[in-house]
Amino acid sequence: MKSAVLVFPGINRERDMARALKLASGHQAAMVWHAETSLPKGTDLVVVPGGFSYGDYLRCGAIAARAPVMDAVRAFAADGGLVLGVCNGFQILCEAGLLPGVLMRNARLKFICRDVHMRVERSDTAFTRGYNAGQIIRVPVAHGEGNYEADEETLKRLEGEGRVLYRYCSPQGVVDEPANINGAAHSIAGIVNERGNVLGMMPHPENHVEDIMGCTDGRGLFAGLVAHLEHAA
Amino acid sequence: MKARVTVTLKSGILDPQGKAIEGALKSLGVDGVASVRQGKVFDIELSGSDKAKAEAALKDAADKLLANTVIENYRVEVLS
Amino acid sequence: MKARVTVTLKSGILDPQGKAIEGALKSLGVDGVASVRQGKVFDIELSGSDKAKAEAALKDAADKLLANTVIENYRVEVLS
Amino acid sequence: MQSNQPQITPEIVASHGLKPDEYERILKLIGRVPSFTELGIFSAMWNEHCSYKSSRIHLRGLPTKAPWVIQGPGENAGVIDIGDGQAVVFKMESHNHPSYIEPYQGATTGVGGILRDVFTMGARPIACLNALSFGAPEHPKTRHLVSGVVAGVGGYGNSFGVPTVGGQVRFHTRYDGNILVNAMAVGLADTDKIFYAAASGVNMPIVYLGSKTGRDGIHGASMASAEFDDDSAEKRPTVQVGDPFAEKLLLEACLEIMAADCVIAIQDMGAAGLTCSAVEMGAKGDLGVDLNLDAVPTRETGMSAYEMMLSESQERMLMVLKPEKEKQAEAIFRKWGLDFAVIGYTTPSKRFVVKHGGDVMADLPIKELGDEAPLYDRPHLAPPPLPVIHARDVKPPVGIMPALEKLIAKPELCSKRWVWEQYDHVILGNTVQRPGGDAAVVRVQDGPKGLALTVDVTPRYCEADPVEGGKQAVAEAWRNITAVGGRPLAITDNLNFGNPERPEIMGQFVGCLKGISEACRALDFPVVSGNVSLYNETNGRGILPTPSIGGVGLLDDFTKSATLSFKAEGEAILLIGETHGWLGQSVYLRDICGREEGAPPPVDLAAEKRNGDVVRGMIHAGTATAAHDVSDGGLLIALAEMAIASGIGAQLLAAPGSIVPHAYWFGEDQARYVVTVSAEQAGLVLAKMKGAGVPCTRIGTTGGDAVAVAGEQPVSVASLKAGFESWLPAYMNGSAA
Ligand SMILES: Nc1ncnc2c1ncn2[C@@H]1O[C@H](COP(=O)(O)OP(=O)(O)O)[C@@H](O)[C@H]1O
Ligand SMILES: [Mg+2]
């Protein structure tokens, strides 16, 4: 799996992401500067990592979404290429119009860093095939603006088309208000686009890929991507 | 030239911050607050002196960046 | 009653947000932007119909919560 | 000298915080009346913050050397060797007064400043810690300050991209009008790529980097400067605003040009900005400096030389570049969107010359600016020793377990999760032990090494007995590192005290330093960096003396570290160290009996070392399955914390007959640890300890879902946890006092 990790000024989880990709695929990801106008040849996966691109000033992800490299990402996605946005990356993909909706301030208005549980809603996608449908995984979140919102119609479509892949839940898998750490509509933690090749999610699977971190539940996402690409090849 | 762009949330879009402020004002005992919605203003200095041109540039700025038109409305005023 | 409280940074206070937006507008090719400063607006619905009372309540709200008066100025307008 | 500057009057001198005799010193030194700009420069260089005039002679006594110390105090941050060509760079600094005025921005700029100190030396920051002291919970400003400061610490670190992995939070009425915000940053560098502040070479370009200069935080003299500027109030904000985004860019750009070998010397612009940084660079390198202020990037119009020299705008750096690399360095900075300007040159003259608009605004002897700063040996008065409180004179609780439940749900001992969950503590993917344990453990790159990091001090001990309190702060930091399996290497200290012009306060300062020195010597734990913050008082009442100690330790293999949570049922619980039941200055005495009294627990440094070395050995050998030091609140609190962290209960033997039960369970004797070992190994371990002369007793067994003391009503772990976790969120919600 040849992956490209985008680097915008203010992005800060690009190293975490590159490490996870390396562990999963054995390949060093290419780090791609925001001012580039093309992606490295043969890229299989584009990752928009977490952080505070442009300080998250104005709206989170807004300025980065308009960077030159994003045109290349749009073209890559239109060609069916796989795009993964995590945290700030999710926000950037929404602002760039690659995913619907927006990420608002957490309902409790505070930045929150802790492990959360997510239910994997289906396992038949490139981004979830490393898990079983209904599996509960534990990964950390670290964000102040992860409260997913979209209009009723969009939410209906997302649900109807099975595009909500990850949902906040209790350790037992119950989707309810207390487990919905940021107040997201329908407890949404991660969604895909219509075509299924662009995923945005708030939690950080890349921080739970090593035993010594006490949990490796994030591995499935990356392992699944590797498997998906091998299968396709 | 001085100008101001005001960006507000479309009605119907949830405003967690506004809601929290509403609650906080109530608990601070500020009287009679029924609802709060938060928006942004941008005070912009422009070079040049053509008002119409300035307005067009600001609209451009708002469309391209200052507002997320999926959820926000904006208003442009050239002040002087 | 509808009211608006506009909160802006005092002059001289660094506005990192405005600075970043300014840079972004320039690189997006929006013409003639010399400087940007970002502020907040609060659109507030009030119960009651006494304008003077409303204004007093809003000032109270701004002092207590909406504005950080160490670094920000505010303006209160009762609109209707 | 340019004439259109304000005349120097006694009022102007006073408003710069210079005493008449200090002004006389200036006159004698330069042989004439200083210009206004020069006066500003002197006031910046000679204030307490830059000159350490009240503390310097006492700081000299601190042990600062060890074979692994690469750089002790005197640079932007201390540097220690951790082997394999790697160095750890760290320091702690306070931002107390600004945080009281504007908690969010005060805290952000505090964190920003300390991060710059670390990456200035060529290190990439890998962790932050913070020690926060607030007023009494019921004080009307406290909640607002807690909320702002915590949001600010998080706001900066989270955005900058460094995990905040540990710290302290306390509440005490003595901080009502003067909170403390101490921030510590830790970075990683290569031992052969450390950068220093001393300039070298004549005619080298001095380059200004980072954000533009504004009128932020212009030091003291608003009254004086108002005289030459009418619409002053609005133009002179005293509050600086942090810009973590700019700082992140600055970090990346600095590391990039350091890697490209462009840098001769580098210094961040911290307090007193351009003045301090330029003078230090020149003086340390035995060189003069010529600055041309016309080239300084400003974000406001019409800034005077005085204002530029004293501005405390954030996210700025000064560098001396290799001339042949200037273009390359500039290109790197432009790429990161930062300002870059050559604003001066080094000279052979040993003078500090500042030009603006074609005029010479200042021309001063550069070395004397620092070296000739006043130095005071202020009178100091040691506090009278307080009586030892005997356990039999302290009221017993209604029951041991109800007292435990009460104590663990109070501000002093409750969980600080509400705070650290607002800090990104997992970013960079190396946080092996997150906040909530004794010390945080951060993996060094891909391992196998790890760092153990902690901040400690118990201010009420320091006030009751400065010497013992100073020792205790160091000992506790050493112990917290040991309890996770780390080898303690060095500390940074942040000495927060009241007004040094009062002999009692100076007595606290001198006493604490004596204690710190003794402990550092005995534990081989030198001081490599630090910061002094004096005049922390309101209405003539000082804060509690608060020398925060930031400790750094090394784990050769981070997988061989211990955590405080019980690992399994049926394991033996051992107490290492001697228990006498010391209740003076204990949390029990204060929070249960309402008495803040007596002498604090004495610190036996030999026992600390012996017991700690044993515990570390057990962790490395894999014998200890859990480890926790016994500190605030005493033995039963430590045990409850171990149970809460794991969800596993404990069956505990009754207190030995020789000690009053509440003194046994809640006494704060030092040099103690609780460890667990498998039941099979317990006998062997006890025998070995006996042989080695280390006090060690089996006090119970893990298991069940309650903490139970023989003869007392057990309390479920769940209910202990609920109490432990509830106070702070409830308080911040406004539903608890
Ligand atoms: N301000 C803070 N920031 C981050 N972590 C904190 C803060 N305050 C307390 N903690 C964490 O909470 C835990 C308990 O703190 P404390 O009771 O001071 O520990 P100890 O008694 O071991 O020194 C520690 O892991 C500490 O790092
Ligand atoms: Mg401890």
Side-chain angles (χ1 to χ4, degrees), chain D residues 437-439 454 456 476 479-480 483 564 628-632 641:
Chain D
D438 283 320
T454 181
D456 295 282
E476 189 174 346
R479 225 185 288 145
N480 275 326
L564 56 72
H628 187 19
D629 78 310
V630 180
S631 58
D632 249 28
E641 286 168 347

Side-chain angles (χ1 to χ4, degrees), chain A residues 9-13 15-16 19 33 52 54-55 57 110-115 142 207-208 210 212-213, chain D residues 124 158-159 161 243 245 248 336 418 421-430 434 443 445-446 558:
Chain A
I11 279 290
N12 59 26
R13 258 190 171 81
R15 287 180 177 76
D16 308 37
R19 178 191 258 158
W33 186 238
F52 284 71
Y54 296 92
Y57 299 148
K110 286 191 172 48
F111 186 96
I112 179 145
C113 177
R114 71 156 77 132
D115 285 358
N207 284 136
H208 267 183
E210 296 178 274
I212 52 106
M213 292 301 149
Chain D
R124 181 176 281 280
N158 298 346
S159 174
D243 183 355
F245 172 56
K248 165 80 170 154
W336 288 100
W418 184 92
E421 280 195 344
Q422 293 184 59
Y423 304 154
D424 189 340
H425 48 267
V426 296
I427 186 168
L428 304 183
N430 291 323
R434 301 183 184 189
R443 170 172 61 177
Q445 290 180 344
D446 290 325
F558 67 84

Side-chain angles (χ1 to χ4, degrees), chain D residues 349-530:
Chain D
S349 71
K350 297 196 192 173
R351 294 196 70 83
F352 184 53
V353 180
V354 177
K355 295 175 188 146
H356 188 218
D359 288 313
V360 173
M361 307 301 286
D363 184 350
L364 299 168
I366 201 161
K367 292 211 78 118
E368 287 78 356
L369 262 174
D371 295 349
E372 294 298 315
L375 182 62
Y376 297 121
D377 185 359
R378 299 193 187 275
H380 46 88
L381 198 71
L386 297 177
V388 172
I389 303 234
H390 294 287
R392 59 175 182 274
D393 300 330
V394 174
K395 202 176 71 173
V398 180
I400 292 293
M401 300 319 270
L404 168 65
E405 286 188 276
K406 198 165 164 187
L407 283 173
I408 207 155
K410 290 250 184 197
E412 185 84 31
L413 298 175
C414 72
S415 166
K416 305 302 183 298
R417 180 186 297 276
W418 184 92
V419 172
W420 49 258
E421 280 195 344
Q422 293 184 59
Y423 304 154
D424 189 340
H425 48 267
V426 296
I427 186 168
L428 304 183
N430 291 323
T431 311
V432 179
Q433 276 201 44
R434 301 183 184 189
D438 283 320
V441 176
V442 175
R443 170 172 61 177
V444 175
Q445 290 180 344
D446 290 325
K449 285 185 300 198
L451 297 178
L453 307 170
T454 181
V455 183
D456 295 282
V457 60
T458 311
R460 59 179 191 281
Y461 295 174
C462 294
E463 167 143 299
D465 182 337
V467 179
E468 288 306 310
K471 275 198 233 170
Q472 195 276 341
V474 174
E476 189 174 346
W478 192 88
R479 225 185 288 145
N480 275 326
I481 290 170
T482 297
V484 299
R487 190 152 39 82
L489 288 183
I491 64 166
T492 178
D493 60 20
N494 196 154
L495 309 172
N496 308 274
F497 289 80
N499 180 353
E501 293 163 43
R502 292 198 289 124
E504 319 83 82
I505 301 290
M506 212 48 214
Q508 294 174 343
F509 185 80
V510 172
C512 282
L513 269 180
K514 180 163 183 271
I516 290 170
S517 297
E518 271 177 39
C520 287
R521 270 198 193 90
L523 300 171
D524 220 359
F525 201 28
V527 181
V528 297
S529 59

Side-chain angles (χ1 to χ4, degrees), chain A residues 105-123:
Chain A
R105 276 291 287 279
N106 292 350
R108 278 159 235 158
L109 299 191
K110 286 191 172 48
F111 186 96
I112 179 145
C113 177
R114 71 156 77 132
D115 285 358
V116 298
H117 291 86
M118 291 193 293
R119 192 171 74 199
V120 183
E121 298 291 65
R122 48 192 287 192
S123 67

